[in-house]
Structures are given as structure tokens and as C-alpha cells.
Amino acid sequence: MSSSGVVISGAGLWTPQYSISNEELVDAYNAWAERFNTEHAEAIAAGELVEKPLSSAEFIEKASGIRSRYAYVKDGVLDIDRMRPKIPRRGEEDLSHQAEMALNAANIALDHAHKTAADIDMVIVSCAYTERSYPAIAIEVQHHLGIAGFGFDMLVACSAATFALQRAYDAVAAGSARGVLVINPELTSPQVNYTDRDSHFIFGDVSTAVVVEAETTCQSPHSYQVLGSKAQTVYSNNIRSNFGYVARSEDVDAFCAENLFHQNGRKVFKEVCPMAAEHLQQQVEAVGLAVDDIRRWWLHQANLNMNQLIVRRLLGRDAEPDEAPIVLDRFANTASAGSLIAFCLHHEDLQSGDHGVICSFGAGYSIGSLVLRKR
Ligand code: CO8
């Protein structure tokens, strides 16, 4: 895609007040697993049930780079009689949980962009999951901000943010919207199976938002011209959640293990790293740059080793910490918000003319990227 007068002019990060350390999570999981193994000792001995393996905080940090994660609600997650957050149900007239998370990040992004509701025509709420099917969370957010125009929700797992940014870019480039708010309220904790040793540690809750507009209307002190963007998908069953209404008709527990997040993490690692590196190289070259011209890589945050491998493939060397910032240690994997957290926390130091790339990769498989130049 060719160079344009479309810019990212503001970004917002909202972080929940609660956090859960690896140690807290592992203590709860291990207590749950030990109780399960004791209660089912006979069946396990008879080979009718598989013993639950124990987790380790040391393994989690070494395998993923994650030390802690934020939680929208912490209550319930560490309770071995519950093993899921206890989120109070809100009435239909009240602000929904995800709309609240979205508004928190959207207001920061609007502020950073020096924009108000009157400058926005389109709201996209894009994330790995929305708490209801309709009305769209985006329309609720639009209503509360007092934005004319329209909003819709999009689900593309870990690439939801970058794919939505491409929709925003296209809309502004085509003239169908003057300004677009892309918001990613990633409420991942209700989707996590906290009784699954292999994935109980992966995800955290957070919300990010970005304002996209035309160069001609931009008043922001930190703005980035979008030089190119690309969305790419290749079908894979290696990361899945089967949750949906059909479960009700299939007479299965709507929240059984197969309907929550599960993955073949090793295969994902092996297959996605080369795809992401190739995608990034092609995108940078498509806008007439070389990988060495890129000052900063704001990469998806799923796994530290994954990001190190991708950058090594691209640059032929390890990246300096400020070339490809990592936020996993504090935030864990926040689905589509990861690359935007990295952007929010690590962009203001860039100089005019510096180049950077936002890139996500994950379930689908899906890969999305935007090549940016600081104005
Ligand atoms: N504690 C202790 N030991 C463990 C644990 C644990 N918690 N988990 C695994 N082990 C053990 C295993 O049993 C295994 O032992 P052995 O060698 O004896 O068999 C050993 O450690 C190694 O296990 P793995 O092969 O599973 O471990 P890896 O080193 O591959 O690391 C990772 C596991 C961290 C999962 C790694 O494979 C990874 O990160 N892969 C990339 C996955 C990825 O990027 N996934 C993206 C998913 S997110 C996404 O796409 C968005 C989805 C939508 C969001 C949904 C929100 C909920």
C-alpha cells in the first residue's frame, strides 16, 4: 500500500488496579491441582484420570518472560473453589465492563491527540472477545463519548488491534471518516482456564486506544504517518477457543476446557516466528525501507523468546532493549493490546523522521502490521 496523509495522532493505555504475580498464580494452581490429585487418587491410580501436573513460577518466567499480569478483577482467580474472576453482573442500563475499560483508554488517546468527540466519525472496538454480541460495545462507547457517526466491534484474536488500525487507515484515506478511534479493551481473564497448567499464566487484562486521522487535521505533538499496512491470515487450529452459542445446542458445558483458550504453544512458536519475520521484512521493503532503517519494533507481546527470535531473524543480531521494547514481564500477553502497550510506553523519545513498526501475530493465524514515520 502506498504512502498516505493518514496519521496516528494519539494513543492511550489504561491499566487495571489489580495485579497477580507468578508466585500467587502458581500457589493457587498447585493447591487446586494437589487437591484434585488427592480427591481422584484412585481413578488416577487406575489410569482412568490423568494426574494434574504442578506449575512453577520459575518455568513461567523462563519460558515466557512473564512475571506478573494485571487483572480487571482479582477476586476469585486465586480461590481454589472458583479459579475464575468474580465479576459482578451489571444491569442493562449500566455501563458494561468492556465499555468502561474502553472509555478509560479512549479518553487518554483523545487527550494525547488533542481531539474531542466532535473530531471522530467512527469507533472500532476490536479485541479477542466481547462480553456480548449486541448492541456492539463500540456503539455503547460512541454513545457515552457523544460521537456522531458509527461504531462496530471486530474480533481477530491477537491481531484485532492492527487489523482495526488498517480499517481506520483505509477509512481516513478513502475519506469515509475524518477521525477514527480504535479501542482494544482486552478483558482476557474470563477466557483463561486457570486450571490448565500450560496456559494459566499467559494472559492479562488491559485496555488500549489509538486515534487515526488525516495529516491535515493533526495537532498532536507526537504523530506518526502511516507509510503502509498489511493484514495477513493463514488458517490454523493451534490456538482455539470454541466458546459460542452453538455449545448450548450441542448439549456440552458452554465453559468446558475446549471452549476456553487452549493452544499447542510449541507449534505456534515454531510456525509463527518465521511467518512474522518474513511478513515484517516484506512490509518494510514494500514502503522502500530496509530493516536497518527501523528505529523501533513495537511487537506483539506473547512470549519473550518469540520476540527475540523474530528480531534476530530480521536484523541478524540481538536487538537492543530500546529497539524492540518488551512489556511482557509486567503485563503478560494482553491479546491484541500488546504491541500497542509497547507503542504507548515507548514512542515519545523518537525523533522526527524515525521509523517504527507496529506488528501483531497470533490466533487465526493472523499477522498485522503498520510501518510508521514520526512527523
Ligand atoms: N510450569 C512448569 N512446567 C511447565 C509448565 C508450567 N506452567 N507448562 C509447561 N511445563 C513443562 C512441560 O510439561 C514441558 O515438560 P517436558 O519437557 O517434560 O514435556 C516443558 O515445561 C516445556 O513445555 P512446553 O513445550 O509447553 O513449553 P515451551 O517452552 O514451549 O513454552 C509457551 C510454553 C510459553 C506456551 C510457549 O510455547 C509459547 O509461548 N509459545 C507461543 C505461544 C503463543 O504465542 N501463543 C499465542 C497465544 S495468544 C493469541 O494468539 C491470542 C488468542 C486470543 C486471546 C485469548 C485471550 C484469553
Side-chain angles (χ1 to χ4, degrees), residues 57-74:
E58 202 186 12
F59 167 87
I60 293 169
E61 187 170 347
K62 190 162 159 272
S64 67
I66 297 166
R67 287 192 200 154
S68 186
R69 71 282 298 137
Y70 288 98
Y72 177 66
V73 167
K74 186 168 178 175

Side-chain angles (χ1 to χ4, degrees), residues 337-352:
S339 54
L340 293 182
I341 300 173
F343 178 81
C344 286
L345 296 177
H346 301 278
H347 75 87
E348 292 193 355
D349 62 311
L350 292 193
Q351 304 297 307
S352 176

Side-chain angles (χ1 to χ4, degrees), residues 26 53-57 59-60 63-64 128-129 157-159 186-189 191-192 196-203 239 241 261 263-269 272 300 302-303 305-306 333-336 361-364:
V26 165
L54 296 189
S55 187
S56 119
F59 167 87
I60 293 169
S64 67
Y129 145 90
C158 287
S159 289
E186 288 291 7
L187 184 53
T188 65
S189 50
Q191 304 161 71
V192 176
D196 173 30
R197 192 274 310 254
D198 291 359
S199 64
H200 75 120
F201 58 88
I202 295 180
F203 294 99
I239 312 170
S241 157
F261 170 89
Q263 69 168 348
N264 186 336
R266 275 270 167 98
K267 271 199 176 160
V268 174
F269 194 109
V272 170
H300 178 54
N303 180 293
N305 304 318
M306 220 169 165
N333 182 339
T334 50
S336 79
F361 32 85

Side-chain angles (χ1 to χ4, degrees), residues 153-213:
D153 294 349
M154 269 178 72
L155 305 180
V156 200
C158 287
S159 289
T162 53
F163 277 42
L165 283 169
Q166 196 191 45
R167 304 283 68 72
Y169 167 87
D170 287 349
V172 175
S176 56
R178 292 166 306 141
V180 182
L181 247 181
V182 171
I183 320 174
N184 325 102
E186 288 291 7
L187 184 53
T188 65
S189 50
Q191 304 161 71
V192 176
N193 182 354
Y194 289 102
T195 66
D196 173 30
R197 192 274 310 254
D198 291 359
S199 64
H200 75 120
F201 58 88
I202 295 180
F203 294 99
D205 298 332
V206 83
S207 182
T208 52
V210 171
V211 174
V212 178
E213 62 176 311

Side-chain angles (χ1 to χ4, degrees), residues 232 272-284 310 313-314:
Q232 182 187 358
V272 170
C273 286
M275 280 169 63
E278 190 186 348
H279 172 107
L280 283 163
Q281 171 134 15
Q282 284 175 0
Q283 274 317 98
V284 167
I310 290 168
R313 279 181 96 112
L314 274 170

